[in-house]
């Protein structure tokens, strides 16, 4: 399947039925699996053989869909999680523990920022947040001797900054740590971070991959490129024996291609249990089959809307990386030449009150926490997803009080524009 192009991988990746087997991936709706002897099951618990014994760790349906996403990203191993938040937590916690440090972009999604700056801080992991457009000197200064990873988003939600993946990967590797990229907004259709030096990719599959608001989920994909054993002192969890699995050393037994995902599954999923259900994975696969078609339409609609907003007198600013003149236009052309995403952020003249009033007059786009869906939706991040941030944190995250995040769905672009126009007219003073 690796030799096929993206469109074919979307439709057929991850699963090849045999003679007389189901054409669609089967939903293995079972918590448990039968074995003939205790010895057979014991080999699974010792990680001596592959297979399934309890769906909290692994399930055939979930693994099939993870394999498709892995193929789309060009990775070597992948796993599904119950949400994008779980994916980001596992990806970082798999290598950073109490007493460790992580460098992260400051413009990441508000929920992820809270996960890092509050919850994981309570676990003893410190995060230093740097602006995505910081200087090389500022980026280098953020690293510490105990830094274990660098984290960023391909396209930040909702600031829509584009991370210079190549530059951040270079800095991470100079300090002997991996770069973790959340590729939710771009999807592998528009950007493949591994090709630019990223080591681990995460997704909220709830967004474009599912595309129909039918199931919450996440995914982690390993590039198989980071050599953990070459930096064994940095990553003892992967490079020293795990007593909870009879002394297995993941990096030695599973190599750089499989160590990261095996540890995250066998250790973190075992203990935290943030597993995706087989039913949700099945629905996710249906979304993946049309991802390559939908992303083109999302991007087409968003660009049309961005161009309209750019010229409207009641709009103070527009952020959309594919819009010529945007501060991240050149970066978007480099990393995502075929399009970025369907999300447009913009400011409404009159500030926070005007922004919220404007959204209330929209007929097509519903006010939702959701984003990246077949149906258009909008949100005022400062009073919702980023509500827990103070003014300083909001500024660092690129979230102003007048910011509206509009996720353009698959509707007719002109209908979206006319709906926006009437809503702006309704709040005109």
């Amino acid at each position: 399947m690796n030799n096929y192009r993206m469109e074919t991988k979307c439709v057929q990746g991850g699963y090849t039925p045999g003679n007389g087997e189901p054409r669609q991936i089967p939903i293995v709706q079972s918590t448990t699996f039968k074995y003939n002897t205790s010895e057979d099951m014991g080999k699974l618990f010792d990680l001596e053989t592959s297979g399934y014994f309890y769906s909290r760790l692994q399930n055939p349906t979930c693994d099939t869909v993870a394999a498709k996403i892995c193929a789309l990203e060009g990775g070597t191993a992948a796993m599904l999680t119950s949400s994008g938040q779980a994916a980001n937590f596992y990806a970082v916690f798999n290598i950073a523990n109490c007493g460790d440090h992580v460098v992260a972009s400051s413009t990441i999604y508000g929920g992820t920022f809270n996960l890092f700056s509050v919850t994981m801080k309570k676990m003893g992991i410190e995060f230093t947040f740097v602006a995505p457009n910081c200087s090389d000197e500022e980026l280098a200064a953020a690293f510490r001797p105990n830094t274990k990873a660098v984290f960023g988003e391909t396209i930040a939600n909702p600031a829509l900054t584009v991370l210079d993946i190549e530059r951040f990967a270079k800095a991470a590797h100079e300090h002997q740590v991996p770069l973790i990229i959340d590729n939710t907004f771009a999807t592998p259709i528009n950007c493949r971070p591994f090709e630019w030096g990223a080591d681990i990719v995460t997704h909220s599959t709830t967004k474009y991959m599912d595309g129909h608001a039918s199931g919450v989920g996440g995914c982690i994909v390993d590039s198989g490129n980071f050599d953990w054993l070459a930096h064994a002192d940095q990553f003892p969890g992967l490079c020293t024996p795990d007593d909870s699995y009879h002394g297995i050393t993941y990096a030695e037994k599973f190599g750089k291609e499989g160590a990261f995902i095996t540890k995250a599954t066998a250790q973190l999923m075992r203990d935290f249990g943030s597993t995706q259900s087989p039913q949700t994975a099945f629905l996710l696969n249906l979304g993946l089959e049309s991802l390559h078609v939908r992303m083109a339409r999302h991007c087409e609609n968003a660009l049309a809307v961005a161009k309209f907003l750019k010229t409207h007198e009641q709009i103070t600013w527009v952020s959309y990386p594919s819009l010529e003149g945007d501060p991240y236009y050149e970066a978007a052309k480099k990393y995502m030449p075929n399009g970025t995403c369907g999300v447009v952020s913009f400011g409404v003249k009159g500030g926070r009150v005007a922004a919220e009033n404007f959204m209330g007059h929209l007929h097509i786009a519903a006010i939702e926490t959701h984003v990246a869906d077949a149906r258009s939706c909008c949100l005022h991040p400062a009073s919702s997803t980023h509500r827990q941030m103070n003014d300083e944190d909001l500024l660092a995250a690129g979230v102003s009080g007048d910011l509206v995040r509009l996720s353009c769905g698959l509707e007719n672009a002109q209908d979206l524009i006319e709906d926006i126009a009437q809503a702006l007219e309704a709040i005109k003073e």
Side-chain angles (χ1 to χ4, degrees), residues 107-338:
T107 58
I108 56 177
Y109 167 60
T112 309
F113 184 92
N114 192 72
L115 169 68
F116 290 169
S117 65
V118 179
T119 303
M120 295 188 76
K121 184 178 181 179
K122 292 177 181 177
M123 301 170 74
I125 303 172
E126 293 289 335
F127 288 80
T128 295
F129 296 94
V130 297
N133 57 353
C134 66
S135 67
D136 290 343
E137 292 74 21
E138 289 171 324
L139 180 55
F143 288 85
R144 302 176 187 173
N146 60 338
T147 300
K148 301 297 183 181
V150 178
F151 183 96
E153 294 176 349
T154 312
I155 306 173
N157 174 17
L160 300 183
T161 56
V162 175
L163 193 75
D164 190 341
I165 302 172
E166 203 168 29
R167 185 167 72 94
F168 272 69
K170 182 175 181 290
H173 297 158
E174 285 176 349
H175 291 84
Q176 302 179 350
V177 300
L179 173 63
I180 303 171
I181 292 290
D182 185 327
N183 197 31
T184 296
F185 266 21
T187 81
I189 301 301
N190 288 338
C191 184
R192 304 228 301 177
F194 294 156
E195 296 177 0
W196 299 100
D199 301 290
I200 308 293
V201 158
T202 63
H203 286 277
S204 170
T205 62
T206 316
K207 310 304 190 295
Y208 288 121
M209 285 188 167
D210 174 282
H212 302 85
S214 59
V216 176
C219 185
I220 308 172
V221 186
D222 183 9
S223 68
N225 292 328
F226 194 85
D227 192 343
W228 306 104
L229 285 173
H231 314 293
D233 292 342
Q234 283 273 83
F235 305 101
L238 284 158
C239 300
T240 57
D242 180 359
D243 293 337
S244 68
Y245 275 106
H246 308 289
I248 282 176
T249 299
Y250 295 100
E252 290 180 355
K253 187 171 182 62
F254 301 102
K256 63 181 184 180
E257 295 82 10
F260 187 88
I261 294 297
T262 301
K263 178 179 180 292
T265 302
Q267 208 179 73
L268 301 187
M269 192 64 82
R270 175 197 64 190
D271 294 342
F272 291 105
S274 300
T275 187
Q276 188 168 141
S277 75
Q279 179 69 50
T280 299
F282 177 85
L283 295 172
L284 168 58
N285 186 62
L286 295 179
L288 289 169
E289 289 179 351
S290 64
L291 181 62
H292 58 293
V293 179
R294 292 185 289 105
M295 285 307 296
R297 182 59 176 268
H298 282 298
C299 294
E300 177 186 328
N301 283 356
L303 182 58
V305 167
K307 287 179 177 178
F308 167 77
L309 291 169
K310 186 75 172 177
T311 61
H312 202 285
E313 62 180 9
Q314 287 174 264
I315 301 301
T316 55
W317 58 270
V318 179
S319 176
Y320 185 63
S322 293
L323 183 65
E324 196 165 355
D326 187 273
Y328 293 93
Y329 180 72
E330 293 301 325
K333 281 206 306 182
K334 174 181 176 179
Y335 293 113
M336 294 160 279
N338 296 321

Side-chain angles (χ1 to χ4, degrees), residues 342-382:
V343 180
V344 182
S345 291
F346 55 93
V348 180
K349 187 179 292 184
R352 180 185 291 247
V353 174
E356 295 186 275
N357 193 18
F358 158 76
M359 293 194 305
H361 284 88
L362 291 170
H363 300 308
I364 296 177
I367 301 174
E368 301 173 357
T369 305
H370 195 40
V371 68
D373 189 71
R375 293 159 290 256
S376 292
C377 54
C378 60
L379 190 73
H380 184 249

Side-chain angles (χ1 to χ4, degrees), residues 1-9:
M1 188 56 66
N2 286 336
N3 296 326
Y4 290 105
R5 293 169 178 81
M6 294 294 283
E7 296 86 348
T8 306
K9 290 179 180 178

